[in-house]
Every structure is written in structure tokens, then in C-alpha cells.
Amino acid sequence: QVQVVESGGGLVQAGGSLRLSCVASGSVFSINAMGWYRQAPGKQREFVAITTNSGRTGYADSVKGRFTISRDNAKNSVYLQMNDLKPEDTADYYCLAVVAGTDPYDVWGQGTQVTVSS
């Protein structure tokens, strides 16, 4: 089994920066990719960024050029550096681990809140 735990959320003014962290534990060798999603109040959860074991990354158009996803395999961690934050980035941010295998599945963290004030 795999578990993931996020940290690093908080309150920041528009234009500021935050760095989110996510640590995986358990059967980490089976993780294929890790990423971030977010859910704003009253909205559906949406994709933010992802990084694969091969080092490929992907971003939502709304965060390209402002957010950077990185991974430290030695620490079983993935990070989301968020710069030039905007009020519309306010949401609960969730870490995702994509677990490979004959029956692949996704593992979600409990979420960390990011609030950007104008």
C-alpha cells in the first residue's frame, strides 16, 4: 500500500509564493507518477501538474510558467513551487500517486489549503 501526505499550504498575498510538499510511504517502488490536483470551493477537482518516473512533466494551462513540479526520489517526495500566485489559485491542493501494477490505482492525500488574498 502507498500513502501520501501533503504539507506547505497557507495564506499568501497575490504575487507571492508557496511551496507544497508531498511525501509518499509504503510500497513507493510501485509508484509510476506523482502529481497535484486542486479543488476550489464549489468547483470540481482539477489537474494542476504531474511528473512521471521518466522525468516527464505536465501542467495545466492556468499554471504554466508560474508553477514548477519537482521530485526527489531519494526522499520519496514531490514538490510544487508556486510563484506569482493569484486569488484564483485559492483551493485545497491534493497530492496524487499513480500506483502501477496489474490493478493500477490512484492514492490521494488529505489535502492542504492554499489561500491567496488580493
Side-chain angles (χ1 to χ4, degrees):
Q1 294 294 324
V2 172
Q3 300 83 36
V4 294
V5 178
E6 309 96 332
S7 61
L11 173 65
V12 64
Q13 288 188 333
S17 299
L18 278 176
R19 186 188 192 221
L20 305 183
S21 300
C22 174
V23 180
S25 60
S27 303
V28 296
F29 59 87
S30 62
I31 295 175
N32 230 4
M34 295 186 72
W36 293 92
Y37 277 67
R38 67 186 182 186
Q39 187 168 16
K43 295 188 177 181
Q44 289 190 329
R45 191 172 296 189
E46 63 176 8
F47 167 75
V48 176
I50 195 164
T51 178
T52 69
N53 284 354
S54 61
R56 296 180 66 181
T57 58
Y59 296 92
D61 288 343
S62 59
V63 307
K64 279 181 182 177
R66 300 188 299 122
F67 291 11
T68 302
I69 190 169
S70 61
R71 192 167 172 180
D72 186 336
N73 291 325
K75 296 182 178 180
N76 300 318
S77 296
V78 65
Y79 308 98
L80 186 68
Q81 178 65 42
M82 305 185 295
N83 297 330
D84 190 24
L85 282 161
K86 303 176 181 181
E88 51 263 42
D89 294 319
T90 294
D92 290 327
Y93 283 70
Y94 295 89
C95 179
L96 163 72
V98 180
V99 181
T102 55
D103 189 16
Y105 61 97
D106 297 337
V107 176
W108 295 91
Q110 82 287 351
T112 186
Q113 189 173 53
V114 172
T115 303
V116 184
S117 63
S118 56

